[in-house]
Amino acid sequence: GGQQRAAPCPRGGPGGQGQPQAEAAGTGRGHRGGHRPGAVVGVAQRLHRGLGVAGGGPGPGPAVLQTRKARRLKQAKEEAQMEVEQYRREREQEFQSKQQAAMGSQGNLSAEVEQATRRQVQGMQSSQQRNRERILAQLLGMVCDVRPQVHPNYRIAV
């Protein structure tokens, strides 16, 4: 009854097994160090499952861990690139819509100027059609009506 419990090691004891220091030192006190035996095994199994290891044996070797880390880094990089591409597409779409809105007002302005120009040209053409006959008659009358006169600056040499 007078035995003290061993304090659990903050880093999981020597060897990283999550056992109290007293048990790791071989005092034989078992799980009385603050851990339940099932909890440690459950944590270890979850860790191994998280690493993709079956069973409760020793962990994977450094080469396997390195390749897993490389795969995770590659996957994270791909995900980051996908997010960047999506962000870029969203910003491009916003830009296109803003540009369309800005150009739309200028486009309407140019369309209005073009329409006003067409109206002016049509007005000139209709005016030309209306006045054509009268102007041609007046021009032909001036050309065909010849009145012989001596120019006032003409001097007769004697």
Side-chain angles (χ1 to χ4, degrees):
Q3 295 180 351
Q4 292 182 344
R5 289 187 176 178
C9 176
R11 293 188 308 162
Q17 299 299 318
Q19 298 295 329
Q21 288 178 340
E23 183 177 351
T27 59
R29 288 195 226 178
H31 63 275
R32 300 179 84 197
H35 291 289
R36 295 185 325 262
V40 173
V41 173
V43 169
Q45 286 176 345
R46 282 196 303 269
L47 285 174
H48 283 292
R49 264 189 250 120
L51 293 172
V53 176
V64 174
L65 290 176
Q66 204 169 21
T67 57
R68 285 184 187 157
K69 184 176 180 180
R71 267 193 305 230
R72 285 194 308 264
L73 286 174
K74 184 177 179 183
Q75 182 181 4
K77 183 179 178 183
E78 290 172 355
E79 289 174 0
Q81 285 178 338
M82 288 173 39
E83 288 179 18
V84 167
E85 284 298 319
Q86 183 172 352
Y87 178 75
R88 183 178 291 138
R89 282 192 299 269
E90 290 172 0
R91 297 299 291 175
E92 181 68 25
Q93 196 173 24
E94 283 181 37
F95 173 74
Q96 291 293 337
S97 64
K98 287 180 181 180
Q99 185 180 25
Q100 185 66 29
M103 293 304 289
S105 61
Q106 290 179 0
N108 290 343
L109 183 63
S110 65
E112 290 174 14
V113 168
E114 190 174 324
Q115 191 176 22
T117 305
R118 280 191 195 130
R119 277 187 295 221
Q120 286 179 337
V121 168
Q122 285 176 350
M124 287 184 220
Q125 286 176 344
S126 65
S127 174
Q128 186 261 343
Q129 289 293 330
R130 282 193 312 266
N131 297 324
R132 180 178 181 182
E133 293 299 322
R134 186 174 58 95
I135 297 296
L136 281 176
Q138 188 179 12
L139 189 61
L140 284 174
M142 290 171 70
V143 169
C144 294
D145 186 22
V146 179
R147 294 184 199 149
Q149 296 177 0
V150 177
H151 195 272
N153 292 337
Y154 182 74
R155 293 187 189 172
I156 303 177
V158 203

